Amino acid sequence: MIDFHSHIIPNIDDGSQSIEDTICMLEEAKKVGFTDIISTSHYIEDYYEVDEKKRKEYIDNIQKEVEGINIIIGSEIYVTHNIVNLINEKKASTINNTRYVLFELPMNSNVLYLKNVIFSLLENKFIPIIAHPERYSFIQKNPNWLIEYIEMGVLFQANFGSIYGIYGKECQKTVQLLLKNNMIHFLGSDVHRKNSIYPKMPDILRKIEKVISKEKVYKLTTINLKLVLNNKKIEVDKPQKIKMGFWNKLK
């Protein structure tokens, strides 16, 4: 497996708080079957602004301390009009220096300029990936929101912990619906601390396999991620509209 989303570099965002914690998290990841981890430290303008060169240095130093697991550069960029400039100026990073860009939205409000951001990325030959849609309150209210964006060329990454209930019941129900209806393209840990997500992975995978097939799980944890790392196009299954009556019953 490849972990698409992690906060393992110490002391540059709200993730790992020490090199010792980082090494512990990497050992936990390796123990449950991860071979690669994409480091997606937050890049938030005027708040978390460690540039790509410095993050590469951190990754190179961490890599020397751990064998058997590969660390790959990326960023989780907080949505901004300036996203293309941040990438071109080597402040924020794409995933493994490919066309794929991971970014996040506010948890509890719509972004009125979101389509402008997406059009800007697409016009510049980037492929937008929105992190953990199941956690956003407006998507919990209307999960079909994703369909229009998938049709535009946006991809979506869900968190492993969502199906485990780590972020609450609404998030748990939402991620099940998104998985069932072909609206998730990657899974990631979004790990911030040791002894959090990775030790729970066997149980988490069993829960996910009750929602989608093992083959689909493999696609979302390995096949699609390898394609991204090699800057290749992924095959996107057609999203299925969720019947709102069914959704309301779940609530």
Side-chain angles (χ1 to χ4, degrees):
M1 291 186 296
I2 300 167
D3 188 355
F4 199 86
H5 185 158
S6 71
H7 298 269
I8 57 169
I9 298 177
N11 300 317
I12 68 167
D13 64 2
D14 59 347
S16 174
Q17 298 180 327
S18 69
I19 185 64
E20 291 79 14
D21 285 356
T22 294
I23 292 169
C24 182
M25 284 191 278
L26 292 170
E27 292 294 344
E28 289 175 348
K30 186 168 62 172
K31 186 175 181 179
V32 295
F34 286 102
T35 58
D36 304 82
I37 294 181
I38 302 170
S39 170
T40 54
S41 302
H42 288 292
Y43 194 97
I44 303 175
E45 288 182 294
D46 301 319
Y47 199 75
Y48 295 130
E49 292 190 315
V50 176
D51 65 19
E52 184 174 277
K53 181 180 179 182
K54 190 66 177 177
R55 283 180 287 109
K56 280 182 175 177
E57 291 175 4
Y58 284 130
I59 288 171
D60 289 343
N61 289 332
I62 295 165
Q63 191 71 75
K64 293 173 186 176
E65 302 294 326
V66 180
E67 295 181 353
I69 193 161
N70 187 39
I71 308 167
I72 299 158
I73 196 158
S75 291
E76 181 185 16
I77 307 167
Y78 193 80
V79 65
T80 169
H81 284 294
N82 201 32
I83 195 165
V84 170
N85 288 336
L86 293 177
I87 295 165
N88 289 338
E89 293 168 6
K90 299 293 184 182
K91 293 179 179 178
S93 305
T94 64
I95 303 298
N96 199 33
N97 297 313
T98 65
R99 297 172 292 161
Y100 290 89
V101 178
L102 180 70
F103 68 99
E104 66 174 331
L105 307 179
M107 291 294 171
N108 296 305
S109 61
N110 285 307
V111 178
L112 298 179
Y113 58 88
L114 179 58
K115 285 186 179 178
N116 291 336
V117 172
I118 289 166
F119 289 142
S120 177
L121 287 165
L122 294 171
E123 286 169 0
N124 285 274
K125 309 301 181 186
F126 293 114
I127 300 173
I129 304 170
I130 294 178
H132 43 61
E134 71 280 6
R135 296 183 64 191
Y136 305 132
S137 59
F138 66 95
I139 290 175
Q140 292 172 5
K141 293 174 183 175
N142 178 23
N144 287 320
W145 181 93
L146 277 69
I147 295 175
E148 178 185 3
Y149 288 87
I150 292 170
E151 290 173 347
M152 289 170 60
V154 179
L155 304 173
F156 290 90
Q157 171 261 312
N159 285 0
F160 285 115
S162 296
I163 203 159
Y164 203 75
I166 286 173
Y167 310 101
K169 289 291 185 182
E170 292 301 312
C171 182
Q172 185 178 39
K173 290 183 282 191
T174 302
V175 79
Q176 290 180 55
L177 287 173
L178 298 181
L179 286 166
K180 283 180 181 178
N181 290 280
N182 297 332
M183 298 188 202
I184 297 299
H185 309 98
F186 314 98
L187 287 165
S189 71
D190 199 0
V191 67
H192 283 65
R193 298 285 181 270
K194 64 181 180 180
N195 197 30
S196 58
I197 298 296
Y198 292 136
K200 297 179 176 69
M201 281 301 301
D203 286 341
I204 286 171
L205 290 173
R206 280 192 288 270
K207 285 181 179 292
I208 295 173
E209 287 168 5
K210 291 179 180 178
V211 178
I212 56 176
S213 68
K214 286 186 178 181
E215 291 76 15
K216 186 68 178 284
V217 174
Y218 185 65
K219 183 176 182 180
L220 302 187
T221 60
T222 305
I223 294 174
N224 284 355
L225 289 86
K226 285 183 176 181
L227 290 170
V228 168
L229 295 179
N230 289 290
N231 210 20
K232 303 293 185 183
K233 185 177 180 179
I234 73 164
E235 288 187 23
V236 175
D237 297 325
K238 183 177 176 61
Q240 303 299 313
K241 188 172 183 179
I242 297 164
K243 294 180 180 179
M244 295 309 292
F246 175 65
W247 172 247
N248 290 337
K249 285 179 184 178
L250 275 181
K251 283 180 172 291

